[in-house]
Amino acid sequence: MAIDSERCVTAGIAAGLSPAAALFHSLADETRLRIVQRLARGEARVVDLTGELGLAQSTVSKHLACLRDCGLVDYRAEGRQSFYSLTRPELMDLLSSAENLLSATGHAVTLCPSTARSVE
């Protein structure tokens, strides 16, 4: 699956989208949401994400690059490994609010791992 660079915040803004629309476009991809959900539990390497999410390395790397371009994810190098993590904890508040909205409209989902733990 090709990644549409216009779904990233900076590219979306450059293409004329408002920052809010660009942010939501960047989160509109299910693979990126899955990566964000996983990173909400703690940092991970590409190999961790490929194994846990069942995705190809190239897919994970491309989506991480998009999320990095958006400023939502960054990494730290340790030797030859890169450990990815969320840069904005507010993102999980946004996803939690989205869960509440979807639940209120009859479309309950779990987007935020911390919300899932608190409900159990």
Side-chain angles (χ1 to χ4, degrees):
M1 170 191 324
I3 294 179
D4 179 359
S5 64
E6 289 191 24
R7 291 186 179 219
C8 292
V9 175
T10 52
I13 292 170
L17 290 176
S18 71
L23 172 65
F24 284 104
H25 275 292
S26 72
L27 296 172
D29 184 274
E30 187 162 349
T31 298
R32 285 194 288 275
L33 271 178
R34 290 176 65 205
I35 291 170
V36 166
Q37 289 170 321
R38 169 51 189 88
L39 293 178
R41 296 192 323 260
E43 64 182 13
R45 301 168 300 160
V46 170
V47 69
D48 300 325
L49 295 169
T50 59
E52 292 175 34
L53 302 176
L55 299 169
Q57 180 271 326
S58 60
T59 300
V60 170
S61 293
K62 289 176 184 177
H63 285 289
L64 283 169
C66 177
L67 291 166
R68 284 188 63 223
D69 288 345
C70 300
L72 300 175
V73 167
D74 206 354
Y75 72 96
R76 67 173 179 84
E78 187 175 299
R80 293 177 41 169
Q81 299 181 65
S82 296
F83 292 84
Y84 290 85
S85 61
L86 297 178
T87 60
R88 306 301 317 178
E90 303 92 337
L91 180 56
M92 300 320 296
D93 295 335
L94 175 66
L95 294 180
S96 180
S97 293
E99 286 176 348
N100 292 336
L101 178 61
L102 289 167
S103 180
T105 60
H107 301 284
V109 297
T110 301
L111 296 173
C112 181
S114 63
T115 302
R117 284 193 296 271
S118 65
V119 172
E120 294 174 348

